[in-house]
């Protein structure tokens, strides 16, 4: 089968070599990385039986131009970049590789927290994570790891996830709260960890943001779309909250007016570690090899 590793943001050379090695016994692998235009991706997939992508946009146009495509694997967690409907209509299997890059994202989230409590490392008096109340908004793989790291820093950790019951939080040493509103009003730092889905897009809006304490810190390593940017700008004007993110907002320029109260990484880099690259890339190629060999669809999302 012809497999294309198509990623605008290349994996580390070692991770890419491992993918080639695993594929080569039974398949032909092409590495297509660092492309600049979406039209290049559309062209690159024309003879692909399988593709591995990261945040690359697998649109209906990409799918339509890949008549042989049977499986698309998102080497990562969020698959909002893939047109699931277009894939399903063609009976193309879509998978993700859940958990493989979570630790890298969780560490980055805590790094952003430290950066914010230390006033972006500008000279002067900052504060510590210890004894602060940390709110985990959505308790998936990343949320769980951030909670563990937060406890390691001596934080009091609270959790809210509409799909997770209080026993699970209690078992993991978190205090469950009854609503997102309660989480936002109680905590000094809130970490957003949910995927971008129709139900979550713009769900972090006025109703939650206005609950935040005056000097609370909001950390978003999830998706740009889950926060209502207009409401965020409003609350930034009306209070002293800080916003740190790994998913650059569309209103980035306006937010830079808030100085040290706002920080965005230059490019999404939560999963940009050697370890996460290796884990996610190897999981993706193994899932494809296994799918062609045995039909295993364990991580199918459509
Ligand atoms: C994910 O959904 O796995 C993360 O957002 C990482 O995305 P990336 O592979 O584009 O860095």
């Amino acid at each position: 089968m012809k497999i294309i590793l198509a990623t605008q943001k290349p994996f580390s050379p070692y991770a890419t070599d491992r993918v080639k090695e695993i594929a080569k016994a039974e398949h032909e692998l092409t590495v297509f990385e660092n492309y600049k235009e979406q039209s290049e991706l559309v062209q690159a997939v024309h003879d692909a039986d399988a593709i591995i992508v990261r945040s690359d946009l697998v649109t209906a146009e990409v799918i339509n131009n890949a008549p042989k495509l049977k499986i698309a694997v998102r080497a990562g967690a969020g698959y909002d970049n893939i047109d699931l409907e277009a894939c399903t209509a063609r009976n193309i299997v879509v998978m993700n590789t859940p958990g493989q890059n979570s630790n890298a994202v969780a560490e980055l989230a805590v790094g952003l927290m430290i950066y914010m409590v230390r006033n972006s490392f500008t000279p002067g008096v900052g504060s510590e994570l210890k004894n602060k109340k940390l709110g985990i908004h959505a308790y998936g793989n990343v949320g769980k790891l951030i909670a563990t790291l937060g406890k390691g820093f001596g934080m009091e950790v609270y959790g809210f996830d509409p799909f997770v019951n209080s026993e699970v939080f209690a078992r993991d040493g978190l205090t469950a709260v009854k609503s997102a509103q309660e989480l936002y009003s109680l905590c000094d730092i809130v970490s957003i960890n949910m995927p971008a889905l129709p139900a979550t897009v713009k769900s972090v809006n006025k109703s939650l943001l206005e609950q935040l304490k005056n000097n609370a810190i909001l950390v978003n390593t999830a998706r740009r779309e889950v926060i209502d940017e207009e409401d965020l700008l409003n609350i930034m004007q009306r209070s002293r909250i800080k916003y740190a993110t790994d998913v650059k907002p569309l209103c980035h320029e306006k937010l830079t007016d808030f100085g040290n109260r706002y920080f965005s990484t230059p490019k999404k880099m939560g999963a940009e570690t050697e370890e996460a690259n290796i884990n996610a890339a190897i999981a993706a190629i193994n899932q494809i090899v296994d799918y062609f060999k045995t039909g295993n669809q364990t991580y199918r999302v459509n």
Side-chain angles (χ1 to χ4, degrees), residues 9 54-55 74-78 101 105 222-223 268 271-272:
K9 203 162 59 174
R54 293 184 68 177
S55 291
R74 196 300 190 214
N101 59 21
V105 179
R223 287 291 181 270
K268 187 168 68 152
E272 288 290 68

Side-chain angles (χ1 to χ4, degrees), residues 113 129-132 134 150-151 153-157 189:
M113 292 174 203
L129 297 185
K130 189 174 179 181
N131 293 330
K132 292 225 165 38
L134 170 62
K151 282 184 281 175
F153 276 91
M155 303 179 85
E156 273 177 48
V157 188
I189 301 177

Side-chain angles (χ1 to χ4, degrees), residues 7 9 11 53-56 74-81 97 101-102 105 221-223 246-247 268-272 277 280:
T7 165
K9 203 162 59 174
F11 283 122
V53 293
R54 293 184 68 177
S55 291
D56 308 80
R74 196 300 190 214
Y79 45 88
D80 47 314
N81 53 316
T97 64
N101 59 21
S102 308
V105 179
T221 53
R223 287 291 181 270
D246 188 35
V247 281
K268 187 168 68 152
M269 49 202 312
E272 288 290 68
N277 277 194

Side-chain angles (χ1 to χ4, degrees), residues 106 136 138-151 164 168 171-172 174 193:
I136 305 292
Y139 199 56
N141 290 314
V142 175
K144 284 180 187 145
L145 288 162
I146 295 174
T148 303
L149 294 173
K151 282 184 281 175
V164 175
V168 172
R171 181 200 66 197
D172 292 355
L174 283 76
N193 319 299

